[in-house]
């Protein structure tokens, strides 16, 4: 692996722990206005000190994030569809040249294994990897799950393994029962998405379960920025990811941080 690729990977997965807290705020690329991301710049500003990486689109990066920030960027480079259409019909939306101009540490693209457009999305991943290899840019493959797919270890294991076989450097997937099987069968690091907003305690447990079963981190969005206490949430998730904080302790930490914040405004 060349120096540039290795260097960029260390910006995404922290070498001190081999783990990462990625903050995902790319939802607008297919959901449009998303609760909590009405003003993405304002949302991410207090969270960035606790994020190892920010995952977002070119448009939001350019319009809402000040270039003096010190957080590595993983740029979503797939899109072109919305929740009103066929999501699997995505294409590549950003050239590698522009991604490099934006000084990204990685690029991300979704694959839709099992959809009628499976082949198209998998070959788009392969093309992106071929191009990214030339410039030493890591590729994060996102295993998107269609409405009719079951989020179980068999399906997610299949999708993750195929992404890794095509050469993805990191794979993002969902947590599921028997998650360790998904990890065992995937030769590259896995991060988990948080999914729809759930109660904070459950999201913290989800994070812990994923890490303790082999994920190298989270690429989490709604369960952080839609929380009433987003800073408390990301700080606690960070302790789980980088310091293996157990769920009970994590819940105490979250409540303490949330109460401190409330106190500050009392
Ligand atoms: C989906 O593919 C989007 O790229 C999100 O980044 C991803 O789902 C992670 O966000 P959340 O934790 O809200 O699911």
């Amino acid at each position: 692996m060349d120096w540039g690729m290795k260097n960029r990977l260390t910006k995404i997965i922290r070498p001190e722990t081999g783990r990462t807290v990625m903050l995902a705020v790319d939802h607008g690329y297919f959901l449009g206005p998303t609760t909590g991301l009405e003003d993405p710049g304002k949302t991410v500003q207090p969270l960035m000190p606790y994020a190892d990486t920010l995952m977002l689109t070119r448009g939001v990066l350019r319009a809402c994030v000040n270039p003096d920030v010190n957080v590595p960027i993983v740029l979503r480079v797939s899109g072109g569809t919305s929740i009103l259409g066929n999501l699997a019909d995505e294409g590549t939306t950003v050239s590698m040249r522009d991604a490099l101009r934006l000084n990204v540490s990685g690029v991300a693209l979704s694959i839709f294994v099992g959809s009628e457009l499976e082949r198209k999305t998998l070959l788009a991943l392969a093309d992106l990897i071929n191009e990214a290899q030339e410039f030493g840019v890591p590729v994060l493959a996102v295993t998107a799950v269609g409405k009719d797919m079951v989020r179980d270890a068999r399906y997610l294991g299949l999708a993750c393994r195929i992404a890794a076989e095509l050469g993805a450097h990191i794979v993002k997937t969902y947590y599921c029962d028997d998650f360790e099987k998904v990890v065992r069968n995937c030769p590259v690091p896995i991060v988990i998405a948080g999914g729809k907003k759930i109660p904070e305690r459950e999201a913290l447990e989800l994070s812990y379960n994923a890490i303790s079963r082999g994920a190298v981190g989270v690429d989490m969005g709604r369960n952080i920025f839609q929380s009433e206490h987003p800073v408390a949430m990301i700080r606690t998730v960070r302790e789980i990811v980088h310091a293996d904080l157990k769920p009970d302790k994590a819940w105490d930490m979250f409540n303490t941080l949330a109460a401190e914040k409330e106190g500050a405004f009392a």
Side-chain angles (χ1 to χ4, degrees):
M1 203 185 287
D2 66 88
W3 195 93
M5 176 72 78
K6 278 190 192 156
N7 180 260
R8 286 193 176 90
L9 273 171
T10 65
K11 306 262 188 261
I12 303 173
I13 299 174
R14 301 304 309 165
E16 302 87 345
T17 59
R19 304 241 176 105
T20 182
V21 174
M22 303 177 70
L23 176 62
V25 292
D26 60 329
H27 304 63
Y29 94 93
F30 71 100
L31 287 174
T34 305
T35 305
L37 291 181
E38 294 83 358
D39 182 345
K42 204 170 153 200
T43 302
V44 300
Q45 205 269 336
L47 303 175
M48 277 192 292
Y50 308 104
D52 293 312
T53 310
L54 194 56
M55 181 191 179
L56 75 182
T57 58
R58 168 171 64 183
V60 167
L61 178 64
R62 285 201 309 229
C64 309
V65 180
N66 197 310
D68 69 2
V69 291
N70 205 14
V71 63
I73 301 297
V74 172
L75 195 70
R76 162 146 319 255
V77 298
S78 66
T81 56
S82 82
I83 35 165
L84 302 179
N86 183 354
L87 280 180
D89 203 9
E90 284 191 357
T92 305
T93 53
V94 184
S95 67
M96 195 55 62
R97 194 181 158 97
D98 203 33
L100 288 167
R101 189 181 290 119
L102 292 164
N103 197 29
V104 303
S105 297
V107 290
L109 172 142
S110 291
I111 56 171
F112 294 77
V113 172
S115 79
E116 75 283 12
L117 290 162
E118 167 186 279
R119 179 172 185 276
K120 180 186 165 194
T121 64
L122 290 176
L123 292 181
L125 173 64
D127 285 345
L128 182 68
I129 293 166
N130 286 334
E131 210 183 350
Q133 282 295 134
E134 281 191 45
F135 299 98
V137 178
V139 175
L140 170 75
V142 179
T143 65
V145 183
K147 283 190 208 100
D148 34 351
M149 302 294 165
V150 189
R151 289 187 192 187
D152 62 12
R154 194 157 171 231
Y155 172 73
L156 296 173
L158 172 78
C160 290
R161 179 58 181 258
I162 290 171
E165 295 270 353
L166 288 172
H169 302 89
I170 308 172
V171 177
K172 168 173 164 176
T173 195
Y174 291 93
Y175 182 73
C176 60
D177 289 342
D178 296 325
F179 185 70
E180 53 273 42
K181 280 192 196 160
V182 178
V183 173
R184 205 183 311 131
N185 286 298
C186 181
V188 300
I190 291 184
V191 292
I192 61 142
K196 285 189 183 153
K197 174 80 175 68
I198 51 178
E200 278 82 355
R201 188 175 186 133
E202 287 172 33
L204 296 173
E205 278 168 10
L206 174 83
S207 305
Y208 179 80
N209 289 339
I211 294 297
S212 61
R213 288 170 174 78
V216 302
V218 298
D219 186 10
M220 190 174 270
R222 289 162 288 183
N223 278 291
I224 291 172
F225 64 72
Q226 290 179 350
S227 168
E228 258 184 72
H229 302 286
V231 174
M233 197 60 191
I234 195 170
R235 288 182 63 182
T236 309
V237 168
R238 191 169 180 82
E239 282 301 299
I240 294 170
V241 169
H242 286 293
D244 296 304
L245 192 68
K246 295 211 160 42
D248 284 348
K249 291 238 163 82
W251 182 233
D252 287 347
M253 177 177 173
F254 171 76
N255 283 311
T256 304
L257 291 171
E260 276 171 16
K261 176 83 176 157
E262 291 291 321
F265 290 110

